[in-house]
Amino acid sequence: MNGNMRARGTAQSNSYGSVQEGGGGEMGMDYGIDLEMAGARPGKAVASDLSKMNPLARCVIAMDKKVLGIFAAVFYCALFFLGLKTSGIAACVLFICAVMLCFSVWLARWVISRGEGTPQMIQVSNAIRDGAEGYFTTQYGTIGQMSFVLTFVIFGVYMFRRVTPEQQQAGMTRTVLAFLTSLSFLLGAFCSAVAGYVGMWVSVRANVRVAGAARRSASEALQVALRAGGFSAMIVVGMTVLGVCSLFSAFCVFFGVHNGYVPIDQIPLLLVGYGFGASFVALFAQLGGGIYTKAADVGADLVGKIEQNIPEDDPRNPAVIADLVGDNVGDCAARGADLFESIAAEIISAMILGGTMAKQSKLQNPIGFIMFPLVVHSLDLVVSAVGIMSVKGQASKTKSSYDIMKGGYSVSIFLAAIGFIITCRTLLYAESAPNAWMYFSACGFVGIACSYCFVFISQYYTDYKYAPVRKIADASATGHGTNIIAGVGVGMEATALPVIVISIAVTAAYWFGKMSGLEDDQGYPTGGLFGTAVACMGMLSTAAYVLTMDIFGPIADNAGGIVEMSDEPESVRAITDELDAVGNTTKATTKGYAIGSAALAAFLLFSAYMDEVSAFNGEKFDMVDIAIPEVWIGGLLGSMLVYLFSAWACAAVGNSAQDVVIEVRRQFQEKPGIMNYEEMPDYARCVSIVAASALKEMKKPGLLAVGAPIAVGVTFRFFGQLTGQTMLGAKVVAGMIMFATVSGILMALFLNTAGGAWDNAKKYVELGAHGGKGSEAHKASITGDTVGDPFKDTAGPSIHVLIKMLATITLVMAPLFLD
């Protein structure tokens, strides 16, 4: 958003607005977002996108479509050739990815072909789009600079690190490993950024189409929002699988795996740089986007709703455009990068464990166990696509929009279960243990059941149909303080059931894996850890559909804002309000799902870290003794890191929100005509304040997350050398990861659930409970929602990125911690 959005009027050049064609009265006014300044004319919004788009996207979209298609085809053929040289499985994965990416393009074209609604809707949408594009370009420019600096650090570390005996035997020199790891890091960072951008790109174009569809029918609005989310989800998951599979195939060909020069089980260890790059970008994207969206939201609510008593997304609120922009850069772009990082980390860790187990079990052909995670996620694309296309119908008194979406989720899960059995039988069959695939199928079903439980538990604690949210709403009737107490209580209580589910899932999967019949030379079972990896893949076997529901939320939220600012009839607002409430629930449930998968992934990455330390050190490292004082201190520091990180993330929102509150109050005081539509709010000023503050505030917690494990590992490595304790640095870091994971899971569950419950308690009151909008209970519920905003959209989602990034950074930097 470039500047001074000017008011337009027919009677006076400086008037706030003019009565819309066909409208009447004060609320029929054009609220001053000029079409030319927003960069589009009615019906021509897409053609104007190039003026404000980030340079890379502008270059791609401006290319001749035939040239772009030829380039994509040649590039894909090169990848397909690498896949064929590696294995037929890799070629099949790459083929499925190509088909499903084409399907995602079809989804995008379908969404873009929908009508954009009224000229006023297009004006608001263009303003949101320009603000989101501008912030994204600046934010990712900053992240890119930090990524390049860290690339040189990684290269330097690998130039002085030791090489494992297997790598030495295979001829992998330090220079080659340094170059490939640095390149993998950059590739992971770049792909994560692209995934984030895609999530935002579709949301800022779908929001106005959902708003336009709501003028026709609730069924069409639901379908447009869901398919727009589906496009983003397909791109994110498809790019993740395509990136990991392509890199794996390239390394296999480069090191001559098919000629027997390098054991194939060594290749997944070279992918950790890719996972670290994805984690690094996702962390800063989640922090920056979360700070942006919640600072604007808090500032808009505190002054607009409570002090001025105007509705949410009222065009008179100077922070309303910044709030709507924040939904896209925080909930769409950041979530796309987040899920990309999650899936990449989980695939890589499962590939490492599959290769390790195959080596221990002396399997002649381990390719099936290594490629298994990639195949599962390629099937995830297929079953999720079927689930998305199966969603039809309209909400009724007996069936909500959320129930309709869950129907699509049930279709995806059913198909995923069938596909999982076939995949296990095809890839995980071993002659030495003929029934192993059955036990691994059971592990997958454990993961699928775990994911369904997480979705239900999250819905129970965050949907106003159920007792916990209504309890918070009831507490709002007695004041602000009781609302806060009830919300904190619900958030803390909500940690119990997910932890029990995770505990049962990990234990069951581990023992199913051990019972698979795979053993090492000494007769010890080897399938336990890989069983937990299979369970993790089962949980993620419908990740694309879950991400679809997640991105549905901010798109519906933006559509509601556009409808409010365009002064649409009450019937249209009722449709978007219902979709917005459903979106709040889907966002909360998918965050629960994300932290559940993060818990399983962190366990896998922790095991992969111990395997890597064993490989480098030449001695077995399979136990962390917390009775050693230094290891216990490492655990304490890990727990402290989670709390300090959460505190800085929440404080960042508070600091930014204070600036917004001051600015919004100033505008209302200095421009009293805003309230009666005679003066124009300065939207661009609030957007500028929030963007600058978010970019500044994201750095401190982000650098803490990156620097803390390295500082602890290096410090205790040298302390161990002074005191004669071997491997002390690696052991202390292991304790740090372990305790940080446990603390992080609980903290993220608390923050995500409490925030979602506070938000929907406010929605419940706004529907008429306890006096409805404008009542004292409503004001108390707004206070709770304000407290919950940085919980659920900044600190909470950032923590599950944090715990995985701690694991990936220690995998990359492990040699620094060894004597």
Side-chain angles (χ1 to χ4, degrees):
M1 205 161 20
N2 225 14
N4 311 331
M5 294 184 179
R6 62 179 184 271
R8 295 185 293 129
T10 54
Q12 303 177 36
S13 62
N14 63 346
S15 65
Y16 181 60
S18 58
V19 177
Q20 294 175 0
E21 211 176 302
E26 265 188 347
M27 292 307 291
M29 293 192 175
D30 176 355
Y31 295 125
I33 303 174
D34 186 70
L35 285 171
E36 290 182 7
M37 293 299 291
R41 298 187 302 278
K44 305 254 184 181
V46 177
S48 70
D49 285 353
L50 295 179
S51 63
K52 301 287 176 66
M53 198 173 290
N54 80 76
L56 182 60
R58 184 165 63 241
C59 177
V60 172
I61 292 178
M63 288 177 65
D64 182 86
K65 296 299 180 288
K66 290 183 179 179
V67 174
L68 187 61
I70 292 171
F71 175 80
V74 171
F75 180 72
Y76 172 74
C77 286
L79 295 181
F80 192 72
F81 173 76
L82 292 175
L84 283 173
K85 292 282 284 183
T86 301
S87 77
I89 300 172
C92 288
V93 169
L94 291 171
F95 176 75
I96 293 172
C97 286
V99 172
M100 299 318 298
L101 288 175
C102 289
F103 170 74
S104 70
V105 172
W106 178 85
L107 281 179
R109 292 174 68 89
W110 185 90
V111 171
I112 295 298
S113 70
R114 303 299 98 182
E116 293 180 287
T118 66
Q120 289 72 32
M121 287 180 175
I122 296 172
Q123 294 173 37
V124 179
S125 174
N126 285 335
I128 296 168
R129 186 201 67 215
D130 292 344
E133 290 276 6
Y135 176 74
F136 182 93
T137 301
T138 305
Q139 181 194 32
Y140 276 77
T142 303
I143 296 173
Q145 292 170 5
M146 293 189 289
S147 298
F148 275 109
V149 172
L150 192 54
T151 300
F152 287 104
V153 173
I154 292 172
F155 187 86
V157 168
Y158 271 67
M159 285 299 293
F160 294 97
R161 62 173 267 177
R162 69 173 68 183
V163 179
T164 67
E166 290 85 356
Q167 290 169 342
Q168 284 180 336
Q169 187 177 359
M172 297 183 185
T173 65
R174 291 178 179 177
T175 304
V176 170
L177 290 175
F179 176 76
L180 292 179
T181 305
S182 302
L183 183 65
S184 299
F185 172 81
L186 277 180
L187 183 61
F190 175 76
C191 291
S192 181
V194 171
Y197 181 74
V198 166
M200 186 206 69
W201 189 93
V202 68
S203 68
V204 296
R205 287 154 182 82
N207 51 18
V208 68
R209 289 165 172 84
V210 175
R215 302 174 77 238
R216 296 184 289 275
S217 73
S219 174
E220 184 182 350
L222 171 65
Q223 203 168 47
V224 173
L226 189 71
R227 290 189 177 185
F231 162 72
S232 179
M234 287 288 165
I235 291 290
V236 169
V237 178
M239 277 190 57
T240 309
V241 178
L242 186 67
V244 175
C245 188
S246 301
L247 197 61
F248 176 79
S249 300
F251 285 162
C252 284
V253 173
F254 180 81
F255 287 109
V257 168
H258 56 290
N259 294 324
Y261 296 143
V262 176
I264 196 170
D265 59 84
Q266 289 293 304
I267 301 298
L269 288 170
L270 302 177
L271 302 175
V272 294
Y274 185 89
F276 179 36
S279 298
F280 182 80
V281 170
L283 181 69
F284 282 97
Q286 187 67 71
L287 276 171
I291 293 166
Y292 187 112
T293 182
K294 291 302 107 182
D297 194 5
V298 168
D301 284 356
L302 286 179
V303 182
K305 285 185 177 181
I306 295 180
E307 296 181 10
Q308 299 296 331
N309 199 27
I310 59 178
E312 186 172 2
D313 298 326
D314 193 294
R316 292 170 291 180
N317 193 325
V320 69
I321 293 293
D323 184 10
L324 295 172
V325 169
D327 291 334
N328 295 285
V329 300
D331 291 335
C332 292
R335 195 74 73 250
D338 177 6
L339 263 293
F340 178 92
E341 174 268 340
S342 295
I343 297 169
E346 285 145 8
I347 288 176
I348 292 168
S349 59
M351 291 175 76
I352 292 172
L353 291 177
T356 301
M357 186 207 67
K359 180 181 177 181
Q360 292 173 344
S361 305
K362 304 297 182 183
L363 297 180
Q364 292 183 346
N365 187 11
I367 187 67
F369 290 85
I370 295 173
M371 294 296 296
F372 178 78
L374 291 168
V375 174
V376 168
H377 275 294
S378 62
L379 290 177
D380 168 21
L381 291 168
V382 177
V383 301
S384 296
V386 175
I388 291 167
M389 297 305 295
S390 71
V391 173
K392 292 174 184 174
Q394 186 165 321
S396 62
K397 289 183 179 179
T398 58
K399 194 174 187 181
S400 68
S401 296
Y402 185 76
D403 293 329
I404 295 172
M405 292 171 66
K406 278 186 70 177
Y409 181 56
S410 299
V411 169
S412 297
I413 278 192
F414 175 74
L415 293 176
I418 295 174
F420 212 91
I421 294 174
I422 297 171
T423 304
C424 288
R425 176 64 182 84
T426 305
L427 299 184
L428 304 185
Y429 177 82
E431 292 184 2
S432 59
N435 295 325
W437 70 271
M438 296 182 185
Y439 287 98
F440 288 129
S441 296
C443 294
F445 280 109
V446 168
I448 292 172
C450 183
S451 70
Y452 201 85
C453 288
F454 262 96
V455 169
F456 176 76
I457 292 167
S458 298
Q459 182 187 5
Y460 174 75
Y461 279 105
T462 57
D463 194 330
Y464 55 67
K465 291 180 181 178
Y466 302 102
V469 172
R470 296 198 176 199
K471 179 181 176 182
I472 298 173
D474 294 342
S476 303
T478 54
H480 300 252
T482 47
N483 171 283
I484 300 299
I485 292 169
V488 169
V490 167
M492 289 185 170
E493 179 186 314
T495 63
L497 285 177
V499 168
I500 293 171
V501 169
I502 292 172
S503 302
I504 294 172
V506 171
T507 304
Y510 183 82
W511 283 100
F512 276 133
K514 288 193 76 170
M515 292 187 293
S516 65
L518 293 171
E519 298 176 341
D520 61 14
D521 289 337
Q522 299 176 344
Y524 292 110
T526 58
L529 285 176
F530 187 69
T532 61
V534 175
C536 186
M537 292 302 103
M539 187 171 186
L540 290 167
S541 60
T542 54
Y545 192 90
V546 173
L547 180 57
T548 297
M549 293 197 298
D550 192 3
I551 296 178
F552 168 92
I555 292 173
D557 191 356
N558 259 212
I562 291 171
V563 165
E564 178 72 32
M565 293 192 73
S566 304
D567 190 34
E568 289 297 308
E570 209 51 51
S571 59
V572 179
R573 294 185 193 181
I575 291 173
T576 55
D577 284 349
E578 201 261 345
L579 293 181
D580 186 17
V582 170
N584 282 336
T585 303
T586 59
K587 285 191 291 184
T589 54
T590 50
K591 284 170 187 168
Y593 173 89
I595 192 59
S597 65
L600 289 177
F603 180 71
L604 301 183
L605 289 165
F606 179 73
S607 302
Y609 167 76
M610 298 179 78
D611 285 345
E612 186 173 17
V613 170
S614 299
F616 277 110
N617 207 55
E619 58 182 83
K620 199 170 184 180
F621 179 46
D622 59 356
M623 184 175 61
V624 180
D625 187 358
I626 61 172
I628 299 172
E630 292 85 356
V631 176
W632 184 82
I633 289 170
L636 192 61
L637 290 172
S639 299
M640 177 273 292
L641 174 63
V642 170
Y643 281 81
L644 184 59
F645 177 87
S646 303
W648 284 1
C650 290
V653 174
N655 295 337
S656 301
Q658 288 176 34
D659 295 337
V660 178
V661 167
I662 292 169
E663 173 60 23
V664 174
R665 283 176 178 166
R666 181 193 68 79
Q667 291 198 35
F668 276 123
Q669 290 169 359
E670 296 181 5
K671 297 181 177 182
I674 289 176
M675 288 301 293
N676 55 16
Y677 306 97
E678 294 176 355
E679 292 185 85
M680 174 70 182
D682 188 351
Y683 300 119
R685 175 67 179 157
C686 287
V687 170
S688 176
I689 288 172
V690 177
S693 185
L695 288 171
K696 181 182 75 173
E697 296 285 350
M698 75 176 185
K699 294 177 182 176
K700 188 167 75 168
L703 292 175
L704 171 72
V706 174
I710 298 175
V712 169
V714 172
T715 299
F716 280 96
R717 169 193 171 181
F718 287 113
F719 185 75
Q721 290 175 342
L722 290 174
T723 56
Q725 300 179 76
T726 59
M727 293 178 59
L728 184 63
K731 292 176 181 177
V732 171
V733 168
M736 184 180 193
I737 299 172
M738 182 189 298
F739 280 68
T741 300
V742 171
S743 301
I745 290 168
L746 294 172
M747 179 66 83
L749 285 169
F750 163 65
L751 295 175
N752 287 334
T753 309
W758 267 315
D759 195 347
N760 271 346
K762 179 196 69 175
K763 295 286 183 187
Y764 181 61
V765 172
E766 288 176 345
L767 290 174
H770 304 294
K773 291 182 179 180
S775 65
E776 290 303 313
H778 184 223
K779 292 180 180 179
S781 71
I782 292 170
T783 300
D785 181 38
T786 302
V787 174
D789 275 340
F791 280 26
K792 68 182 174 65
D793 288 324
T794 307
S798 297
I799 288 175
H800 62 77
V801 183
L802 169 72
I803 59 179
K804 283 176 290 186
M805 198 190 76
L806 288 175
T808 54
I809 194 173
T810 50
L811 271 173
V812 173
M813 301 295 183
L816 286 177
F817 315 143
L818 296 171
D819 303 333

